[in-house]
Amino acid sequence: MYNTQKVTSDISWVGASDRTLELFENIFPIPRGVSYNSYILLDKKVVLFDTVDSHAGGQFFENVEHVLAGRVPDYLVVNHMEPDHCAMLGEVVRRYPDIQIVGNAKTFTMIKQFFGTDFSERAVTVKEGDTLDTGTHTLRFVMAPMVHWPEAMVTYDETDKVLFSADAFGTFGALGGNIFADQVSFDRDWLDDARRYYANIVGKYGPSVQALLKKAATLDIAVICPLHGPVWRQNIDYILEKYGKWSTYEPEEKAVVIIYASMYGNTASAADALAGALAERGIPDIAVYDISHTHVSELISEIFRASHLVLAAPTYNAGLYPLMENLLADMKALAVQKRTVALIENGTWAATAAKQMREKLGELKSITVPDVQVTVKSALGAGQEAELMALAETLAADFR
Ligand code: FEO
């Protein structure tokens, strides 16, 4: 059965939701699923904006044919060539043999790599600022390199003031009928997934996102149509402000997140004792995570949210506990910066984890690591209370 919705009188959503995929990009758990958004503009010319993942092809074509109601698309605008959006490109050409494909030079290089042909006979190559007149609508193409691949671009419909924003402003989570952000409790139900999507998928490319935000600020935007998750037609400043914070690596909240790696519970005990001491000093909403029971993508999302982190880990094979080493590698890969990170280490005979974590954090930009740290030798002894309280005091001082 078709499942489409009007975004404006001329633009319809023809995407699909996927609640069966376990791992997005075969890495990221998506317990709430994901949507692949595609849109159609019905004007004198008919324009299809991007396609969907191969998992959603059947639903997509049912939706497309319903909205087309016997018409055929004149153009397929390819804003992003990652296969979760372009997988149906070949089938679109087979079904609509007269369709022209609109992309930039890098788009067509990738089309050739993925499909074995660059469809040169039907290629319309655009560059920054080029426009396409579809009758009553004018589409303007704006390059958005590295948001999140080099070929990424966004398309602005000058008539309806709609920005087709590619991966930007997207989020994990399947859509449940309410395709608009103003129809859901975004802050309650979607923000965590939006941040997790941003931090893990686009987080590395903050300066590129900043460049796109600058271009977006020159446009009069009434509606944002991303490739994943809800469409924004109200309170657009909310998501622009979040992107402003995330892309400049500013903490979204003044908050403490404690992440511990613990083999036998002793490092966990020290982390919990610190959390209690912080609570006694008036710090609210402390979040504590066991690194072995929380996917690294969620930890990264929390790191993008909070101003203060505590990392607690044992030495392992003379190195770092592997999951903590992996988290620190991910923090570096995703360019995490502008955080205070306090350390707790544990080592029965070679407590070097704090030194190792300190070295790895030194490879990140603008990270403050307090000199005060806690060293646990096997288990935190009663005599170490002062050490723990000193660390709590150091962190709490930033909150006063
Ligand atoms: Fe949703 Fe970069 O693809």
Side-chain angles (χ1 to χ4, degrees), residues 11 16 40 43 70 86 100 112 114 123 142 147 193 214 220 230 233 262 269-270 325 339 357 360 377 393:
I11 294 170
I40 288 180
D43 197 5
C86 78
Q100 292 186 281
K112 182 155 193 194
F114 277 110
V142 177
V147 186
D193 261 335
K214 275 200 189 106
D220 180 12
R233 62 180 179 183
S262 189
S269 174
E325 186 158 20
R339 297 295 187 276
M357 287 190 281
K360 289 185 186 299
K377 292 274 182 116
E393 267 306 312

Side-chain angles (χ1 to χ4, degrees), residues 263 313-321 345-354 356:
M263 295 161 66
T315 316
Y316 199 87
N317 286 334
L320 261 180
Y321 193 77
E345 64 178 348
N346 195 346
T348 296
W349 70 94
T352 61
Q356 295 183 63

Side-chain angles (χ1 to χ4, degrees), residues 24-25 80 82 84-85 148-149 167 197 201 227-228:
F24 186 80
E25 292 186 354
H80 187 21
E82 194 160 8
D84 53 333
H85 309 295
H148 118 251
W149 279 15
D167 272 346
Y197 174 87
I201 306 290
L227 285 175
H228 299 288

Side-chain angles (χ1 to χ4, degrees), residues 304-324:
F304 268 67
R305 177 180 68 82
S307 57
H308 287 64
L309 313 173
V310 179
L311 301 182
T315 316
Y316 199 87
N317 286 334
L320 261 180
Y321 193 77
L323 292 172
M324 186 59 78

Side-chain angles (χ1 to χ4, degrees), residues 163-199:
L163 183 70
F164 297 93
S165 65
D167 272 346
F169 313 113
T171 169
F172 294 134
L175 292 168
N178 298 124
I179 71 160
F180 298 98
D182 55 274
Q183 295 175 328
V184 298
S185 298
F186 196 89
D187 227 42
R188 188 190 69 191
D189 298 333
W190 287 82
L191 178 59
D192 286 347
D193 261 335
R195 187 189 310 104
R196 190 163 68 92
Y197 174 87
Y198 176 86

